[in-house]
Amino acid sequence: MLYKIWMSIVKEFLLLKRDLGGLIILFIMPLILVITVTIIQDSTFKTVSDTKIQILLVDNDKGSVSKTVFDNLQNNNAFDVVTQIDNQPITEEIARENVYKGKFKLAIVIPKDLSVDLQAKVDQNVQNIVSKMGFTDSVAKPETSKVLQQKEVKLYFDPAVQMSFKTSVMNAIDKMISQIETKSIYTTFQNQLGEENTKFDQKSFITFKEIIPRINNKEVLPNSVQHNVPAWTLFAIFFIVIPLSINIVKEKSQGTFVRLLTNPVSNLIVIIGKTITYLIICMIQFYMMVAVAIFLFPHIGLPPLNVEGHLFLMSVVALFSGFAAIGFGILLGTVASTQEQSAPFGATSVIILAAVGGVWVPVFAMPKIMQIIAKSSPMNWGLEAFYDVLLRNVSFVEIIPKISLLFLFFIITTSIALFYDKKKRTV
């Protein structure tokens, strides 16, 4: 029994050796992919970006509000404020044209008399409140209220920018204007009460503080490496579906599989041999990705992957993810009749599983229906198990449900493949 399995493994390695170029691609492609994607996404995990976004500011106000907006934007490390183009002041028309052509990502247009009208509106509201409080004797009677039109700060965005960028900028501008309004209200109250010694604390009373998890009394800050290495390792592991299914189809088309069956070897032995062979490949892929993340990333400006205390559990997750990928590859190779069927279907299905499983887009950002569908993707089970180990610092017991699902997926797909093959040969 063990000898038959060993010879089956040797046979699989001989088959792989014939396609050495494809085997090299199987190892090199994921490494290039994880390095490229991690470099691209690294800036989104940094608190301070090295690259500033140039934005246009059209100041039609020339007052305190526009100055505050300019100062806040200029002090923000993410933005570089531009107020002139070719040494000429920017108008709204010029700003709109430059943004819509993609030369700038954003233009902010501050309306005329914003500072004056804001102060007038605050004065009106404060005077009304003070008079209703019975201070009309000590405070000058308000003049006839002037009807003030609502002011609009216009934002022009490059049509190609993402919605998340738009939302974050609009929230930041709204917060700035709210702070300015609040400060104006406090100052006006102080003036209306006529007491110079009265001081209002204008600092925000409610603040926010992120509580960062600690391991061994050290803060654990998530970074692009911790998110991308598990995700693209899973993608690489599942990509073995393609060579595995192609090899099974080759055996059927070349008559190798029939010759194997004429020997005293069951189909189960053949599948066990394939499983062990491709599990070895999966684990080599995993350890190569981890090695690159630990030793190469620091030399190209990326944070290293910290696997201290996690490597064993990560290896367990990678092993069971390999089982799931192999089961899917065996099923596809058994059902497919030609390489033209198995190769494109295998590649497409792996990409779909990756997209649905949260490798490209986080599951929480998907529509509700897709979040439900994501729970059925083996890539999602593996990815969540990796995150549990690497980011949530869970124990082995807590990842058992997810790795059990991965192994169950392997059992089900392999059983279907065996049943289909037996049914087909007996018809």
Side-chain angles (χ1 to χ4, degrees):
M1 176 74 170
L2 291 177
Y3 178 75
K4 292 178 181 179
I5 293 175
W6 169 249
M7 293 311 298
S8 180
I9 294 171
V10 171
K11 184 263 296 181
E12 294 299 328
F13 275 112
L14 289 174
L15 284 174
L16 289 170
K17 187 179 177 182
R18 293 178 182 176
D19 188 18
L20 191 59
L23 195 60
I24 292 173
I25 292 174
L26 198 61
F27 289 120
I28 300 301
M29 179 274 296
L31 296 180
I32 296 174
L33 191 62
V34 73
I35 293 170
T36 304
V37 175
T38 306
I39 290 174
I40 292 171
Q41 293 187 353
D42 186 54
S43 61
T44 63
F45 287 85
K46 292 180 179 178
T47 54
V48 178
S49 176
D50 296 330
T51 304
K52 287 191 173 184
I53 300 172
Q54 285 192 323
I55 61 174
L56 301 177
L57 180 65
V58 181
D59 184 7
N60 295 325
D61 175 44
K62 310 295 183 183
S64 59
V65 173
S66 61
K67 184 179 183 307
T68 303
V69 171
F70 175 83
D71 291 342
N72 287 342
L73 290 173
Q74 193 68 26
N75 292 332
N76 191 315
N77 292 314
F79 299 119
D80 183 17
V81 183
V82 178
T83 56
Q84 292 184 339
I85 295 178
D86 298 329
N87 296 322
Q88 296 295 324
I90 305 171
T91 63
E92 184 174 347
E93 291 74 19
I94 293 174
R96 180 172 58 242
E97 181 182 356
N98 277 273
V99 170
Y100 285 170
K101 286 184 177 179
K103 295 180 180 179
F104 295 88
K105 298 301 179 187
L106 166 66
I108 302 173
V109 181
I110 300 178
K112 186 179 179 182
D113 298 328
L114 175 60
S115 299
V116 174
D117 287 354
L118 173 62
Q119 189 59 53
K121 186 66 177 176
V122 170
D123 287 343
Q124 287 179 6
N125 292 337
V126 171
Q127 286 173 356
N128 288 334
I129 294 171
V130 170
S131 62
K132 289 180 181 179
M133 292 173 64
F135 292 104
T136 51
D137 292 338
S138 59
V139 179
K141 292 184 179 180
E143 299 176 0
T144 304
S145 296
K146 176 184 175 182
V147 178
L148 298 171
Q149 297 294 326
Q150 193 176 35
K151 296 291 185 179
E152 287 183 341
V153 176
K154 296 180 181 178
L155 302 176
Y156 291 95
F157 288 98
D158 177 3
V161 301
Q162 296 179 340
M163 184 59 67
S164 58
F165 175 76
K166 292 183 181 181
T167 303
S168 62
V169 169
M170 287 189 286
N171 288 339
I173 299 296
D174 183 59
K175 183 179 179 181
M176 262 189 268
I177 299 298
S178 297
Q179 288 175 340
I180 293 168
E181 288 188 65
T182 303
K183 185 176 181 180
S184 300
I185 292 169
Y186 277 127
T187 304
T188 303
F189 262 114
Q190 182 177 324
N191 294 334
Q192 289 288 347
L193 291 173
E195 297 185 20
E196 296 181 0
N197 294 329
T198 304
K199 296 293 181 181
F200 292 97
D201 187 359
Q202 297 180 20
K203 293 182 180 178
S204 296
F205 179 72
I206 301 174
T207 60
F208 298 92
K209 180 182 179 181
E210 179 187 3
I211 306 301
I212 300 172
R214 290 175 174 267
I215 298 176
N216 297 327
N217 208 29
K218 292 181 180 180
E219 290 185 347
V220 181
L221 292 171
N223 55 51
S224 57
V225 174
Q226 290 171 316
H227 285 266
N228 280 295
V229 170
W232 297 107
T233 297
L234 269 175
F235 187 78
I237 287 174
F238 271 82
F239 222 72
I240 66 160
V241 165
I242 299 171
L244 174 55
S245 61
I246 288 175
N247 280 348
I248 293 175
V249 171
K250 275 184 179 179
E251 287 181 346
K252 292 191 294 184
S253 61
Q254 293 174 357
T256 306
F257 187 66
V258 174
R259 289 197 296 271
L260 284 171
L261 294 178
T262 59
N263 294 315
V265 177
S266 67
N267 196 9
L268 181 61
I269 297 294
V270 175
I271 285 181
I272 291 174
K274 292 182 185 297
T275 300
I276 295 174
T277 302
Y278 282 91
L279 272 179
I280 293 171
I281 294 174
C282 288
M283 296 310 293
I284 292 173
Q285 285 180 318
F286 167 70
Y287 288 119
M288 283 180 64
M289 301 278 267
V290 170
V292 165
I294 294 173
F295 301 110
L296 178 62
F297 279 7
H299 298 288
I300 57 177
L302 294 172
L305 180 67
N306 182 14
V307 295
E308 183 181 353
H310 302 311
L311 187 58
F312 173 73
L313 288 183
M314 288 178 67
S315 301
V316 172
V317 175
L319 180 69
F320 281 89
S321 299
F323 272 117
I326 291 165
F328 184 53
I330 290 172
L331 176 61
L332 178 58
T334 304
V335 174
S337 302
T338 63
Q339 295 181 40
E340 288 74 15
Q341 290 178 358
S342 63
F345 184 82
T348 305
S349 58
V350 169
I351 291 172
I352 292 173
L353 286 173
V356 172
V359 171
W360 293 345
V361 179
V363 174
F364 69 85
M366 297 180 184
K368 289 293 182 184
I369 183 65
M370 292 306 298
Q371 291 184 26
I372 297 171
I373 295 174
K375 300 299 181 183
S376 63
S377 170
M379 276 205 195
N380 180 255
W381 307 334
L383 188 60
E384 285 299 316
F386 269 125
Y387 286 163
D388 284 345
V389 171
L390 200 56
L391 298 173
R392 302 183 183 113
N393 199 36
V394 302
S395 63
F396 174 74
V397 174
E398 292 172 279
I399 64 169
I400 287 177
K402 295 182 179 68
I403 61 176
S404 297
L405 283 172
L406 290 167
F407 192 68
L408 183 62
F409 182 82
F410 165 74
I411 296 296
I412 292 173
T413 50
T414 305
S415 299
I416 293 172
L418 287 170
F419 177 78
Y420 178 85
D421 179 70
K422 184 178 180 180
K423 194 77 174 175
K424 189 175 180 181
R425 285 189 286 110
T426 53
V427 171

